[in-house]
Amino acid sequence: MGAAYYRADSENGDHIEDSSEDALFMLIDDLNDSDNTFVVVQPDEDDPVWFASVAVLDEGGYEIVRRDTTRNEHEVTTATRINDIARDLAIWIAARDFPGRSIRQVSEF
């Protein structure tokens, strides 16, 4: 297996490298309002330039933070549907830059 490009860590110590949309769903679904209140996804490097986090809100639902310093992005939103959160995060993560990751090119024949 190759090097991890990013990792998802939850407050309770769960850790998944290069998490899929399904894995993100499971991590978010395991969150609660007592001892596992957040998940952070970031590059597997010493000084990450981007991150995303999902945290349980006291009033229900989740707060999602996306920050990418290389693109001047900082967005804070709320949502209630875990499947939407996981899908949106997977799409956002796929658009990030990862040093050493080959870029798949599609060409028309």
Side-chain angles (χ1 to χ4, degrees):
M1 179 171 224
Y5 294 110
Y6 62 95
R7 64 181 186 266
D9 297 294
S10 63
E11 181 179 16
N12 72 355
D14 285 343
H15 171 87
I16 299 176
E17 293 180 350
D18 299 334
S19 52
S20 65
E21 180 179 336
D22 289 341
L24 290 170
F25 179 95
M26 291 187 320
L27 286 172
I28 297 165
D29 191 44
D30 286 345
L31 295 178
N32 59 58
D33 61 359
S34 61
D35 63 349
N36 191 32
T37 61
F38 65 86
V39 171
V40 176
V41 183
Q42 62 188 3
D44 193 20
E45 54 192 41
D46 290 336
D47 192 16
V49 296
W50 63 263
F51 77 90
S53 66
V54 179
V56 175
L57 293 172
D58 290 337
E59 60 274 4
Y62 304 89
E63 177 184 78
I64 302 95
V65 177
R66 296 177 188 93
R67 180 139 173 90
D68 187 333
T69 59
T70 62
R71 298 177 186 204
N72 248 358
E73 294 178 9
H74 186 199
E75 178 182 333
V76 179
T77 59
T78 59
T80 56
R81 295 175 40 117
I82 297 171
N83 57 334
D84 292 342
I85 297 167
R87 183 189 66 240
D88 291 347
L89 279 180
I91 292 168
W92 188 82
I93 292 166
R96 302 305 99 193
D97 295 322
F98 298 97
R101 178 174 72 171
S102 61
I103 299 171
R104 188 183 335 181
Q105 295 183 353
V106 178
S107 60
E108 293 187 31
F109 294 93

